Amino acid sequence: MRNSCTKVLMAVAAGLLLTGASVGPAVAAPQSAPAAPAAATMATGNITTWVQGNVRKGASTSYNIAYTVKANQQLMGVCWLTGGTVDANGISHNKWVKLSDGNYIWGGLLKGNETGGISTKC
């Protein structure tokens, strides 16, 4: 009888191993920490200002001001392009983000990188 039980247990264990089932105690897989959202880039999406600034009709300060945004205001960015260089708030570059309403904001006003995290070039 003991031989029969051993053979049955061995057969069950072999079957479990062949199907990929575990015969040992279940152990939870370690979870990795989520990536920091500020480091992620996006094709289009919400961008956030870090200071107050002007949204313009085109990608340069020579274009008329469409409206002014406050710090920590969220906008919908569509794509980015190279435009007029701006020197402000200790930042100098020529990256502008086109907004979903067709206006433009200089990337130096945005949180994140020079394009506020928008990765699609216009």
Side-chain angles (χ1 to χ4, degrees), residues 72-109:
N72 295 311
Q73 186 168 337
Q74 285 197 341
L75 304 164
M76 179 60 69
V78 175
C79 57
W80 69 271
L81 66 148
T82 302
T85 299
V86 177
D87 295 307
N89 306 314
I91 301 168
S92 177
H93 67 75
N94 61 355
K95 306 293 188 295
W96 291 76
V97 175
K98 183 176 183 180
L99 303 174
S100 60
D101 64 6
N103 293 305
Y104 296 83
I105 188 166
W106 175 58
L109 301 174

Side-chain angles (χ1 to χ4, degrees), residues 11-80:
V12 170
L16 289 172
L17 288 173
L18 287 174
T19 61
S22 174
V23 293
V27 178
Q31 294 184 359
S32 59
T41 61
M42 61 193 134
T44 62
N46 285 329
I47 54 176
T48 306
T49 58
W50 71 276
V51 293
Q52 178 177 319
N54 296 322
V55 173
R56 298 189 174 267
K57 298 283 185 181
S60 169
T61 56
S62 62
Y63 286 89
N64 289 335
I65 296 171
Y67 51 92
T68 300
V69 291
K70 297 179 182 180
N72 295 311
Q73 186 168 337
Q74 285 197 341
L75 304 164
M76 179 60 69
V78 175
C79 57
W80 69 271

